[in-house]
Amino acid sequence: QPVGALGIRAGPPVFAGDFTAPSGPAESIGCLRFMPLTFSTGNLALVGGSWDSTIRLWNMRMGELAFGESRLNLHKVLKVDAPVLSCASAGEGKVAYGMLNHVARLWDVEKSVEDGHAGPIVARHDQAVIFCGSLYHPDGSLDKLVTASWDGKMKIWDLRQAPTTPISTTEVGRKVLGADMRRSFLAAYTPETLVSFYDLSDIRSGSPYMVDRSATNLEHQFTSIAVFTECDGYAVGSLEGRCMVQYIKPEYRNNQNNNKSSFAFKCHRHSVDKMQSWTPANPPVKTQSLDGDLGSGRPTHLTFPITSISFHPTGIFSTAGSDGVFNFWNKEKKSRLKEFVGIGTSTNHTVSEPVSHTDFSEDGAYFAYAVGYDWHQGSNTSKQDQQPSVGVHCIQESEIQKQR
């Protein structure tokens, strides 16, 4: 692989046929989001925050990406004072982003960044801000910013006021490890393997309304979460390579005759025989005997964490894992629509890097994903001399068709 001026190797290649975002960060991606922003160029935007304390915005010419990689260009890079762990659209031309240094800021992308101005502080916590989300007024204007943190709190801020006191503070749990928000519904998980589901639509009259707080049948630590496109439930992934699709309405939870019944399934697990010709760059978090030669203790499958879950506008969803694989799923049919194997493989197609973050564009035409070390095994197996990569996949109709 080519080596840059700073001695950092270029990131791993993305899936065959996809486009690579140019001029990526030097360290692991902390967040990745499409933004429904309209700049002077009329482009869609892809924003990525990184552990190298930068946040990048790439321009995409909608409908033209398939005609050449030149249609995907780096628009702006902002250097800030801490790693960027979360980001969200905050109105046209603006991005809210949360950082490891306990604050969230507002970036006006069209303003000059030559002076290194990181934007005003719009939220404060006692620990890292791992989630940012925008709450819009019924008239469509941006109204509030929602943040969640390792301090265990979810806070809602009025962007028209100084960030001294939030308009609402909710104790979610001991520590919020992950969260996702769609429209006015937010789901967050904690180390106790509990998921809290909130309705924020009536926040003007008081605190957020907690619709549900429940445990799932997943036994190990949660690693990712996403709210359904329809906002009537969520999908949560775990360290053990299992995903839980959970509907909020009680009548859907145990009704196996309903296509909206809750269920859990295994994914991002691979047979040892299959891995003889395709080996992930990092050993699995857990090796276990799932079937086969149990008596000998010889593992027959390798298990990887689910690093990211995203929902398409049609309701299908994706899971990505430390195995360097992402999948598209139909939750109503409880079936896999498409498997993408070997993301980030080297030229001999034998080594795969983790896929750490994903997102679908608002129009459903594109799927973005970050390829690089995800830190689930700490610093011992990190590759600090190699850049991560950001890939963009042009979605084909056959990949998201619900009827198979």
Side-chain angles (χ1 to χ4, degrees):
Q1 291 180 315
V3 178
L6 298 179
I8 299 176
R9 290 183 295 153
V14 298
F15 191 77
D18 292 350
F19 295 96
T20 302
S23 305
E27 296 184 24
S28 299
I29 299 291
C31 58
L32 187 67
R33 291 286 185 186
F34 279 107
M35 301 287 174
L37 306 179
T38 303
F39 302 99
S40 57
T41 54
N43 293 344
L44 181 70
L46 177 63
V47 174
S50 171
W51 281 85
D52 67 357
S53 300
T54 63
I55 184 167
R56 283 168 165 75
L57 186 144
W58 292 275
N59 269 342
M60 296 173 55
R61 294 186 183 275
M62 299 180 67
E64 298 181 0
L65 184 62
F67 294 100
E69 194 164 353
S70 62
R71 302 300 184 181
L72 181 62
N73 300 310
L74 182 66
H75 183 63
K76 290 286 180 69
V77 179
L78 180 66
K79 178 66 178 177
V80 295
D81 55 355
V84 180
L85 307 183
S86 55
C87 57
S89 172
E92 184 173 326
K94 295 181 180 180
V95 176
Y97 61 97
M99 297 187 291
L100 191 65
N101 62 353
H102 311 175
V103 302
R105 292 180 179 270
L106 189 64
W107 179 24
D108 189 334
V109 178
E110 289 302 276
K111 288 186 176 180
S112 174
V113 296
E114 296 301 325
D115 57 358
H117 183 58
I121 294 175
V122 291
R124 295 182 184 274
H125 280 266
D126 295 327
Q127 294 189 42
V129 180
I130 54 87
F131 173 78
C132 289
S134 297
L135 192 60
Y136 289 85
H137 190 273
D139 66 6
S141 62
L142 180 64
D143 196 17
K144 305 288 187 296
L145 178 69
V146 183
T147 58
S149 167
W150 288 346
D151 63 10
K153 298 180 179 66
M154 173 180 66
K155 296 183 179 183
I156 301 178
W157 309 83
D158 190 335
L159 293 178
R160 298 166 296 181
Q161 301 176 3
T164 53
T165 305
I167 62 175
S168 173
T169 300
T170 302
E171 295 282 350
V172 179
R174 177 165 57 89
K175 189 175 188 177
V176 178
L177 295 180
D180 184 53
M181 180 176 171
R182 187 176 291 269
R183 296 201 288 272
S184 61
F185 295 91
L186 182 143
Y189 63 86
T190 62
E192 299 84 6
T193 60
L194 292 174
V195 176
S196 300
F197 194 83
Y198 297 92
D199 182 353
L200 311 180
S201 60
D202 199 25
I203 188 62
R204 296 161 190 81
S205 65
S207 299
Y209 172 61
M210 186 168 68
V211 179
D212 180 72
R213 174 174 287 171
S214 60
T216 71
N217 60 7
L218 303 183
E219 298 178 358
H220 296 272
Q221 179 63 60
F222 299 157
T223 52
S224 52
I225 195 167
V227 176
F228 292 171
T229 304
E230 306 85 354
C231 298
D232 56 351
Y234 56 86
V236 61
S238 76
L239 196 67
E240 59 178 321
R242 295 185 73 212
C243 181
M244 180 74 192
V245 174
Q246 183 85 314
Y247 286 87
I248 295 301
K249 291 184 178 181
E251 59 266 31
Y252 292 158
R253 291 201 167 176
N254 299 307
N255 182 4
Q256 298 304 315
N257 296 320
N258 192 307
N259 65 354
K260 287 190 174 183
S261 61
S262 298
F263 65 98
F265 64 97
K266 299 174 183 177
C267 53
H268 300 280
R269 301 183 177 201
H270 306 280
S271 69
V272 171
D273 292 338
K274 176 182 177 181
M275 306 303 275
Q276 298 299 322
S277 59
W278 168 63
T279 305
N282 299 298
V285 67
K286 180 175 64 173
T287 301
Q288 61 181 6
S289 295
L290 301 179
D291 52 43
D293 191 7
L294 298 178
S296 68
R298 184 179 66 86
T300 59
H301 283 71
L302 305 179
T303 304
F304 299 83
I306 299 174
T307 54
S308 186
I309 301 174
S310 300
F311 275 87
H312 188 270
T314 62
I316 69 107
F317 69 101
S318 66
T319 62
S322 292
D323 52 353
V325 171
F326 63 78
N327 304 280
F328 291 170
W329 306 89
N330 181 341
K331 68 179 188 302
E332 285 79 22
K333 296 293 184 180
K334 301 180 176 62
S335 63
R336 178 163 55 194
L337 300 175
K338 177 78 172 181
E339 181 184 31
F340 298 80
V341 180
I343 310 301
T345 54
S346 61
T347 54
N348 58 8
H349 299 284
T350 58
V351 178
S352 182
E353 299 288 342
V355 178
S356 59
H357 293 81
T358 61
D359 195 31
F360 286 103
S361 62
E362 192 176 53
D363 63 356
Y366 305 114
F367 179 74
Y369 54 93
V371 183
Y373 187 56
D374 59 0
W375 294 94
H376 77 275
Q377 292 186 330
S379 61
N380 291 335
T381 56
S382 67
K383 296 182 177 180
Q384 298 184 15
D385 63 338
Q386 181 173 343
Q387 286 182 294
S389 295
V390 174
V392 177
H393 176 71
C394 297
I395 296 175
Q396 306 301 311
E397 186 64 28
S398 60
E399 298 170 348
I400 59 173
Q401 287 179 345
K402 288 192 173 185
Q403 298 296 329
R404 282 296 181 99

